[in-house]
Amino acid sequence: MAPMTTAGEQMYALVERMYPLCRSITGDGVRATLEIVDEYVPLQVHEVPTGTQVLDWTVPQEWNIRDAYIADTAGNRIVDFAASSLHVLGYSVPVAATMPLAELRGHLHTLPDQPDLVPYRTSYYKPEWGFCLAQETLDAMPDGEYEVRIDSTLADGHLTYAEHVVPGRVTDEVIVSCHVCHPSLANDNLAGIAVATFLARALAEETPYYTYRFIFAPGTIGAITWLARNAERIDQVKHGLVLACAGDPGQLTYKRSRRGDAEIDRVLRHVLSTSERPHQIKEFTPYGYDERQFCSPGFDLGVGSLTRTPYAGYPEYHTSGDNLDFVSPEAMADTLAVCREASAVLDRNRRYLNLSPYGEPQLGRRGLYDALGGRSDTKQAQMAMLWVLNLSDGGHSLLDVAERSGLPFDTVATAADALHGAGLIKA
């Protein structure tokens, strides 16, 4: 019998499948990516026509590409889109020409400080064409004529995004968003897509308190489109998390929401600190991933961002160095574990009212101390009961109790369950 694969290995295999596809903010590459994700969790796919007004933006024309290359006079492809989707400037208009290297240079993008890497570059809203290549490849190109070919189309079509909903016990929602627009970049953001997908699968095996809505959309324009199309029900969104850069070897990083003290901010701070994982907490800035759309002042949602190394924080960022060797099953599994721990805190964080608030109720005659017998953390569990009783005044949540007491949230929530079962507190 073949050994069972871990969730980390399954996520890595999903990243491997998606990696070769050429994605952009629109087009068949996005659809193909969502078709793969749909094999893991059923998706509701939305197609929004070119020209649709979405807040202050307009859905652009759809871009698709079949082939692109730079060839020398002998027909040898010096730069080949078939080898990597990064080789073409995203949203390049079609071109078929022969030109000298001196003229071609104005359409070539390299990284002189990282001469062996290919950069990721786009021109979404300005008609342009170009190629991305390693500086060392450009340095090896002799002067002379080159055949230049980009077989692409830019025409009216659609912007595509998808949702997956895990029903909860209440209709209030937690949104989990990840961008699906980048081409062959494993960490940014195929790892984020994989972690979101497997978080959705894990939650579907439970009955969460909140309804979880997973949004797979192109960056910026996709999130803006989702917000424009869901403005009337935005009050249902109580918490949210943007997932990106979820598979690199760096430590976990949480970026707070615009509010700075939203419940999701406190939950991630608590989960990361009590787990003793190496991590950092960053303050909100209006730059980064789609948290800046969800946290724009008109919406001001409690949405933070979870990454490992933040955007632009590693040398491989937006280059061919962000490949399958840069991400690992272990890192994705760790990111997924934090997401699951955070969702568990969100789902169990309640406010309770002490039904016997005058003096300390006698726990022994209710069998509550006896129920702790034999536990390695008996003293901690007893303290958790006392803290929950003392702070169950209708104004403090279990997360408040955990933060003030310094006890793990799970220990506090377990104590609350026991006290609730004994009739000493009510939600």
Side-chain angles (χ1 to χ4, degrees), residues 65-88:
I65 183 168
R66 287 159 291 280
D67 193 17
Y69 60 86
I70 301 172
D72 61 20
T73 54
N76 299 309
R77 293 192 176 195
I78 309 301
V79 178
D80 191 355
F81 169 76
S84 171
S85 59
L86 292 177
H87 276 310
V88 173

Side-chain angles (χ1 to χ4, degrees), residues 252-292:
L252 283 154
T253 300
Y254 177 72
K255 175 182 170 183
R256 298 179 194 268
S257 71
R258 177 179 180 269
R259 299 178 190 173
D261 62 350
E263 188 171 339
I264 190 71
D265 301 328
R266 297 175 58 206
V267 167
L268 263 297
R269 182 185 65 197
H270 181 80
V271 166
L272 289 170
S273 61
T274 58
S275 72
E276 299 185 351
R277 290 178 173 89
H279 70 278
Q280 61 175 332
I281 305 291
K282 296 174 70 72
E283 296 302 319
F284 175 80
T285 62
Y287 184 76
Y289 293 115
D290 283 328
E291 69 279 356
R292 69 188 197 273

Side-chain angles (χ1 to χ4, degrees), residues 41-80:
V41 292
L43 297 179
Q44 181 182 7
V45 177
H46 305 271
E47 297 277 7
V48 184
T50 295
T52 302
Q53 189 72 24
V54 286
L55 304 182
D56 194 48
W57 294 60
T58 303
V59 172
Q61 289 189 310
E62 182 176 326
W63 183 68
N64 285 293
I65 183 168
R66 287 159 291 280
D67 193 17
Y69 60 86
I70 301 172
D72 61 20
T73 54
N76 299 309
R77 293 192 176 195
I78 309 301
V79 178
D80 191 355

